Amino acid sequence: MSRLPLIVALAGLLAACDQNMDVQPRYSEYSRAPLFRGSVLRRPPANTVARDDLEREKAASTKPALSAELLARGRARFGIFCSPCHGAGGDGNGVIVQRGMPRPTSYHDDRLLAADDQHFFDVITNGYGAMYSYAARVPPRDRWAITAYIRALQLSRHASLDDVPPDERARLESSP
Ligand code: HEC
């Protein structure tokens, strides 16, 4: 049985892919739109709220309750977005810093130990000095999760024996 008709049909389909969609008639955002007497990109009407803005705003102003799940999420996001500069322990010696990025203040510095959670959330949202904003990459709930994880990192070096729950403490003290 000849496969020729099938091959011809497939070749026809491939040829269809060659239609270059770039050259179809369309406007560029900033080109002039005679109909509107301005550019094609229109200014939204006053008081327009972009889709998802309200949800994002709500997540930004509601700090989620601390949980093991939140910390695990924060740890994972911190590893992806922050540790390349801040280092896995938050000392500010990540691989990018080792290759020339200005060294950020250590999270274990007294000023950052005393800073409130909102400061960390705001730095992620707006950037800080040489650090750019992560608002586009890290959604609000993840910013809170990362903040919680940074708090855990800080606590890991500044905890006293009194911070250990009694049953765990007994176990610690009985270990050699
Ligand atoms: C590309 C490198 C880089 C990455 C990635 C990065 N930072 Fe930074 N960060 C910096 C630098 C550099 C500074 C110091 C900026 C300055 O003082 O000009 C800084 C400063 C900070 C500070 C200290 C602000 C203060 O009050 O001194 C915090 C908190 C912080 N970053 C949190 C984060 C978090 C959280 C992430 C991940 C979401 C992150 N950074 C990702 C480079 C980075």
Side-chain angles (χ1 to χ4, degrees), residues 77-148:
R77 298 286 107 179
F78 179 86
I80 294 167
F81 291 111
C82 321
S83 71
C85 290
H86 288 272
D91 300 273
N93 61 348
V95 281
I96 299 181
V97 172
Q98 290 165 33
R99 285 164 178 71
M101 182 89 188
R103 188 184 179 131
T105 310
S106 162
Y107 293 153
H108 308 287
D109 177 85
D110 285 344
R111 182 173 61 80
L112 288 179
L113 284 172
D116 58 9
D117 291 354
Q118 191 66 48
H119 179 63
F120 291 88
F121 185 94
D122 291 345
V123 170
I124 305 173
T125 308
N126 306 317
Y128 186 92
M131 176 184 148
Y132 43 80
S133 158
Y134 277 80
R137 277 153 286 185
V138 182
R141 190 174 188 278
D142 283 349
R143 288 177 223 160
W144 287 123
I146 290 174
T147 300

Side-chain angles (χ1 to χ4, degrees), residues 49-100:
V49 177
R51 199 176 129 184
D52 297 339
D53 256 11
L54 293 178
E55 282 79 7
R56 227 175 287 129
E57 204 116 293
K58 193 160 165 251
S61 57
T62 338
K63 186 162 38 168
L66 190 58
S67 65
E69 180 275 322
L70 190 78
L71 277 179
R73 175 79 186 169
R75 181 181 184 183
R77 298 286 107 179
F78 179 86
I80 294 167
F81 291 111
C82 321
S83 71
C85 290
H86 288 272
D91 300 273
N93 61 348
V95 281
I96 299 181
V97 172
Q98 290 165 33
R99 285 164 178 71

